[in-house]
Amino acid sequence: MRSTSDQVSVRLYHLDGEAEGGAASTLFYGPLSEALRLAELEPAEVQEGLFIATDNDVVAYLDLIGG
């Protein structure tokens, strides 16, 4: 992900690879700092399917935090 402020608006979503064709469920729209806080609260098995999208990038949550 490109360098960005912790206040930039992002979309936190979960990509369910088990659903037919995959299903993306938005969990949060708002500041990156809050998205990261909310993602941290999710169980490990949910975190594996979390992604954060900005206007021009998408990154897996675990890749972003180095997990």
Side-chain angles (χ1 to χ4, degrees):
M1 187 185 307
R2 296 177 180 126
S3 296
T4 189
S5 162
D6 66 347
Q7 293 304 307
V8 70
S9 290
V10 300
R11 172 184 175 213
L12 172 65
Y13 66 96
H14 181 259
L15 186 59
D16 182 357
E18 294 181 19
E20 186 176 333
S25 301
T26 298
L27 304 176
F28 176 76
Y29 277 111
L32 175 59
S33 58
E34 183 68 9
L36 292 173
R37 188 188 73 74
L38 293 171
E40 183 180 22
L41 298 175
E42 294 292 338
E45 56 275 359
V46 172
Q47 288 181 359
E48 291 174 5
L50 291 180
F51 292 84
I52 295 177
T54 66
D55 287 342
N56 53 18
D57 276 323
V58 175
V59 65
Y61 169 69
L62 292 180
D63 289 346
L64 182 63
I65 65 166

